[in-house]
């Protein structure tokens, strides 16, 4: 699907939800996509991208950053504590803060580096055992903990269970964010981003609809 069509659908969803035009940021998820596909999207003027793995992003993005101005890179996959420094130097935002150990490592390195990416706390809204993220019942306490560490919290992120109605999870995430005074909501993917926008998403993560099927 052409990038322009995705942008048009986002604009329509914003309008339908009574949102300000341009209030939703499109993150083009470029994980495991070949460089030529990513470059084609860059050539179209898009600058906001999402990657799942620090290692893959480190091999792919430094060259593009030299070539194209204004790239805004988001880590949307799980972050191992031992890759935190590399992630902080590479990414502008991290969407997968999900445990105290990682929060403490981010806080320590932020002091050392004198900078920190914008951070989203990942909430496991479906309470799935195999999925990363803080449980909804623990979210308020973890948000408070991150604030005590003086971390630049932007908002919350979720990945709803595949077999459940995504809107229920988006609504739950929005509720947790609202009661904690957080504005950022990273939710919605290729198949459900319009529903996410209706429920307040500020960042939607769209991959296959822009790039086509992934190349492993």
């Amino acid at each position: 699907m052409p990038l322009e069509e995705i942008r048009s659908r986002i604009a329509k969803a914003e309008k339908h939800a009574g949102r300000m035009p341009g209030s939703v940021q499109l993150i083009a998820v470029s994980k495991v996509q070949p460089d030529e596909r990513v470059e084609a999207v860059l050539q179209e003027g898009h600058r906001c991208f999402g990657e799942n793995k620090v290692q893959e992003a480190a091999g792919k993005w430094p060259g593009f950053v030299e070539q194209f101005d204004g790239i805004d890179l988001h880590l949307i996959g799980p972050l191992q504590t031992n890759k935190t420094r590399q992630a902080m130097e590479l990414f502008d935002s991290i969407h997968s803060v999900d445990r105290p150990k990682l929060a403490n490592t981010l806080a320590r390195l932020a002091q050392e580096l004198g900078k920190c990416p914008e951070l989203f706390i990942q909430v496991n809204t479906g309470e799935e055992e195999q999925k990363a993220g803080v449980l909804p019942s623990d979210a308020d306490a973890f948000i408070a903990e991150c604030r005590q560490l003086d971390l630049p919290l932007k908002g919350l992120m979720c990945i709803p269970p595949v077999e459940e109605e995504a809107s229920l999870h988006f609504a739950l995430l929005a509720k947790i964010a609202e009661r904690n005074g957080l504005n950022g909501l990273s939710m919605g993917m290729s198949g459900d981003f319009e529903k996410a926008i209706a429920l307040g998403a500020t960042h939607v993560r769209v991959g296959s609809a822009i790039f086509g099927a992934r190349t492993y």
Side-chain angles (χ1 to χ4, degrees), residues 174-196:
K175 197 174 171 185
I176 298 169
E178 186 181 17
R179 70 170 178 249
N180 284 284
L182 288 168
N183 300 321
L185 286 170
S186 170
M187 58 190 198
M189 296 189 277
S190 291
D192 55 25
F193 67 83
E194 280 128 330
K195 288 179 180 177

Side-chain angles (χ1 to χ4, degrees), residues 6 14 23 42 47 50 60 70 72 86 105 116 118 125 128 139-140 142 144 148 161 168 170 172-173 196 211:
I6 301 283
E14 284 173 339
S23 58
L42 280 161
R47 292 293 181 267
K60 182 191 291 182
D72 180 25
Q86 194 180 8
T105 304
C116 187
E118 287 189 332
T125 54
E128 296 171 277
D140 294 356
F142 187 52
Q148 282 173 347
L168 299 172
F170 299 154
L172 173 60
L173 196 72
F211 294 102

Side-chain angles (χ1 to χ4, degrees), residues 70 79 129 137 150:
L79 177 56
E129 279 182 24
S137 56
D150 210 22

Side-chain angles (χ1 to χ4, degrees), residues 95-112:
H95 291 235
S96 45
V97 181
D98 62 351
R99 59 199 187 279
K101 187 182 179 186
L102 178 57
N104 280 291
T105 304
L106 285 160
R108 178 174 56 77
L109 288 169
Q111 291 292 322
E112 196 182 305

Side-chain angles (χ1 to χ4, degrees), residues 104-155:
N104 280 291
T105 304
L106 285 160
R108 178 174 56 77
L109 288 169
Q111 291 292 322
E112 196 182 305
L113 297 168
K115 63 170 189 170
C116 187
E118 287 189 332
L119 303 175
F120 291 76
I121 289 172
Q122 183 171 354
V123 182
N124 184 353
T125 54
E127 303 188 21
E128 296 171 277
E129 279 182 24
Q130 79 284 9
K131 202 172 273 180
V134 63
L135 293 175
S137 56
D138 299 330
D140 294 356
F142 187 52
I143 290 164
E145 196 176 329
C146 289
R147 282 181 164 147
Q148 282 173 347
L149 291 167
D150 210 22
L151 290 172
L153 276 193
K154 176 84 176 171

